[in-house]
Amino acid sequence: MSGGTGGTEDEKGGLRTALAGLTTRGRSFLAAGVAAVICAYVLGQSDLLRVGLLLAALPLVCATVLYRTRYRVAGSRRLSPGRVPAGSEARVHLRMDNVSRLPTGLLMLQDRVPYVLGPRPRFVLDRVEAGGRREVSYRVRSDLRGRYPLGPLQLRLTDPFGMCELTRSFSTYDTLTVIPRVEPLPTVRLTGEAKGYGEGRQRSLALAGEDDIIPRGYRYGDDLRRVHWRLTARYGELMVRREEQPQRSRCTVLLDTRGIAYQGAGPDSAFEWAVSGTASSLVHMLERGFSVRLLTDDGSSVPGEGADGFTGASQQSADAAGLMMDTLAVIDHSDGTGLSRAYDILRSGNEGLLIAFLGDLDEVQTTVLAKMRQRSGGAVAFLLDSETWVREPTDVPGPLDRSEDRLRMLREAGWTAVTVPRGADLADLWRLADRQRTGAASTGSTAGGGVR
């Protein structure tokens, strides 16, 4: 038996392997036959002896014939899709090809899947003719993100009398990636985003006047109208003016993964909401043409292209989104206690728009976040008080003084900060952040100042 996805296990063990595959029926027949032979020997009954030999020989013959059967079967698996959001279904397609010149007998096909994806699928395949194929499929679903192995594929062979079953396994497996849920977000104008593409088109000029230009050598395909003849005469070669260079908008999405910042677990926990919100923000900003990177509290940066970690202009948005979704699919709590490593990444310069999903904060970490605001063109924070997520809703208000104090400190530092109640909708909070930013800007303009 062979596998189109990587061959099968070696078939060794001889008679011991065949006997190990005896079913309950086969073992019962063998035991009854041995008992009949012993009784026939003691009682001197030749007819009983023949019956006992027949009962004992039947399962042994079935096991031997089944073990010596050499099916050449190729198996393959296809996932549709291979990356699926949590709570959505994926379909797994299995295909079996009989590549031998002989038809097969009755086959039982089963695939190994993790318990979280559902029960183990089993299929009974009728006789497969020489050169024929059979295709079956099943669905898997998980509410928990992660990477789950599927396989290896197994075939269970059985004889017509049900005396023996043998299992043959293919050696390869596939991986299903369950990514966080991605929620579509409304298009709003957030501070710090107008940097070149999309609605805002702020450009960096390479020249400040006719006498302060920064020229470069002529390249094939350059417009001759851009040739600077005065500098061409000075340098003795064609020189052209540099035109306006559009700056690709940048956005950093910061995810707080500190284990001490969250309470509870499961698909409805505060941490899972933060991961889902991070995924939604990343996809939304990529769709708007931003150069985006994912940053965590421990300083890890994704995609990590170049020194700044942002997606490059040559990288497709779909590829960047896939890389970050794969990272978020397996991200877990960190052992860190602070956000200083993330601040060290951001302190290198103006990072454009900063969107942060944060757990519980103390005064020290709030101060670090206030410093991050100075390194960004705009900053939006979503604060999750994990205690409100694990506490059952009651009419008695909980201790919100600390979270309100952290909100006030962030807003005074220039953040657009909103709290995230239990089970909140990210799209509504996204609009709320935009209204809060617009209101703060209007207030600042009226007062002759304020944070933009």
Side-chain angles (χ1 to χ4, degrees):
M1 187 175 63
S2 62
T5 57
T8 60
E9 298 177 348
D10 293 335
E11 301 178 11
K12 298 180 180 180
L15 183 59
R16 180 179 300 177
T17 302
L19 293 178
L22 289 176
T23 61
T24 303
R25 179 185 300 177
R27 295 176 186 273
S28 300
F29 268 66
L30 182 60
V34 172
V37 169
I38 295 176
C39 292
Y41 177 77
V42 173
L43 300 176
Q45 296 291 329
S46 58
D47 293 337
L48 183 59
L49 177 62
R50 286 190 290 269
V51 173
L53 291 176
L54 177 61
L55 292 176
L58 181 60
L60 296 178
V61 171
C62 291
T64 302
V65 173
L66 185 63
Y67 177 77
R68 297 178 67 87
T69 300
R70 293 295 184 265
Y71 292 137
R72 296 184 59 204
V73 180
S76 62
R77 182 190 300 103
R78 179 172 57 88
L79 304 180
S80 177
R83 183 188 293 117
V84 62
S88 299
E89 290 184 345
R91 183 168 289 275
V92 183
H93 300 269
L94 303 178
R95 172 176 165 177
M96 301 301 300
D97 294 273
N98 183 10
V99 297
S100 67
R101 298 180 180 179
L102 298 176
T104 68
L106 189 66
L107 302 178
M108 177 178 289
L109 179 66
Q110 65 179 11
D111 206 7
R112 289 185 178 180
V113 300
Y115 176 77
V116 69
L117 295 182
R120 177 175 298 184
R122 292 183 174 89
F123 305 93
V124 177
L125 304 181
D126 294 332
R127 178 179 177 272
V128 182
E129 65 279 5
R133 71 177 59 169
R134 296 291 185 271
E135 294 185 4
V136 293
S137 65
Y138 64 94
R139 294 177 296 180
V140 291
R141 179 181 180 274
S142 174
D143 292 326
L144 300 175
R145 55 186 176 83
R147 293 173 62 87
Y148 301 102
L150 301 178
L153 196 61
Q154 293 181 330
L155 278 178
R156 296 178 63 185
L157 313 178
T158 182
D159 65 280
F161 300 100
M163 297 290 179
C164 183
E165 288 184 354
L166 295 180
T167 301
R168 297 290 183 262
S169 297
F170 295 93
S171 59
T172 59
Y173 62 91
D174 294 284
T175 302
L176 175 68
T177 302
V178 180
I179 63 175
R181 294 183 179 91
V182 176
E183 181 179 350
L185 300 178
T187 301
V188 298
R189 181 71 173 271
L190 297 174
T191 303
E193 70 177 66
K195 295 252 179 161
Y197 295 103
E199 298 175 0
R201 299 192 178 274
Q202 184 182 32
R203 296 177 179 268
S204 62
L205 298 180
L207 53 93
E210 193 67 25
D211 298 328
D212 293 327
I213 57 177
I214 304 177
R216 63 169 176 82
Y218 176 82
R219 298 172 185 170
Y220 178 78
D222 285 339
D223 191 344
L224 291 178
R225 290 175 296 181
R226 294 171 52 197
V227 175
H228 193 283
W229 298 108
R230 183 186 306 173
L231 292 179
T232 297
R234 179 185 303 177
Y235 290 104
E237 60 176 333
L238 285 176
M239 305 295 292
V240 297
R241 300 182 179 90
R242 289 185 180 178
E243 293 181 343
E244 298 177 327
Q245 301 297 323
Q247 292 182 347
R248 188 176 176 87
S249 304
R250 288 184 168 187
C251 176
T252 298
V253 182
L254 172 62
L255 174 61
D256 182 9
T257 63
R258 296 173 298 138
I260 62 175
Y262 299 93
Q263 301 180 30
D268 296 327
S269 64
F271 180 68
E272 292 301 322
W273 192 98
V275 174
S276 177
T278 300
S280 303
S281 301
L282 289 170
V283 172
H284 177 74
M285 303 311 291
L286 280 172
E287 290 176 348
R288 299 193 61 183
F290 279 68
S291 288
V292 180
R293 71 175 173 185
L294 167 65
L295 184 64
T296 60
D297 56 285
D298 60 5
S300 300
S301 179
V302 182
E305 179 181 296
D308 55 7
F310 287 91
T311 57
S314 61
Q315 187 174 10
Q316 297 296 328
S317 296
D319 296 336
L323 179 59
M324 288 183 283
M325 291 301 104
D326 289 344
T327 302
L328 290 175
V330 296
I331 201 167
D332 202 354
H333 292 295
S334 69
D335 297 329
T337 58
L339 302 171
S340 57
R341 291 185 179 179
Y343 172 69
D344 292 337
I345 301 296
L346 294 171
R347 67 187 302 179
S348 58
N350 193 322
E351 302 294 338
L353 179 63
L354 175 61
I355 303 174
F357 291 85
L358 307 166
D360 297 332
L361 299 174
D362 55 23
E363 186 174 354
V364 175
Q365 305 313 317
T366 306
T367 303
V368 174
L369 287 168
K371 295 179 181 179
M372 289 184 187
R373 173 62 183 89
Q374 302 172 5
R375 302 294 181 178
S376 62
V380 181
F382 298 93
L383 273 68
L384 293 91
D385 186 356
S386 61
E387 186 177 350
T388 62
W389 283 71
V390 298
R391 188 177 63 243
E392 292 296 330
T394 60
D395 295 334
V396 181
L400 299 179
D401 294 340
R402 187 180 64 175
S403 61
E404 292 295 338
D405 184 56
R406 302 294 179 255
L407 271 177
R408 179 184 55 80
M409 293 177 62
L410 290 178
R411 288 168 178 169
E412 289 177 353
W415 283 81
T416 300
V418 296
T419 57
V420 180
R422 182 178 181 179
D425 183 72
L426 179 59
D428 294 338
L429 295 178
W430 196 261
R431 297 187 186 93
L432 176 61
D434 178 58
R435 292 195 298 270
Q436 184 183 122
R437 180 199 62 82
T438 304
S442 301
T443 304
S445 301
T446 304
V451 179
R452 296 288 296 174

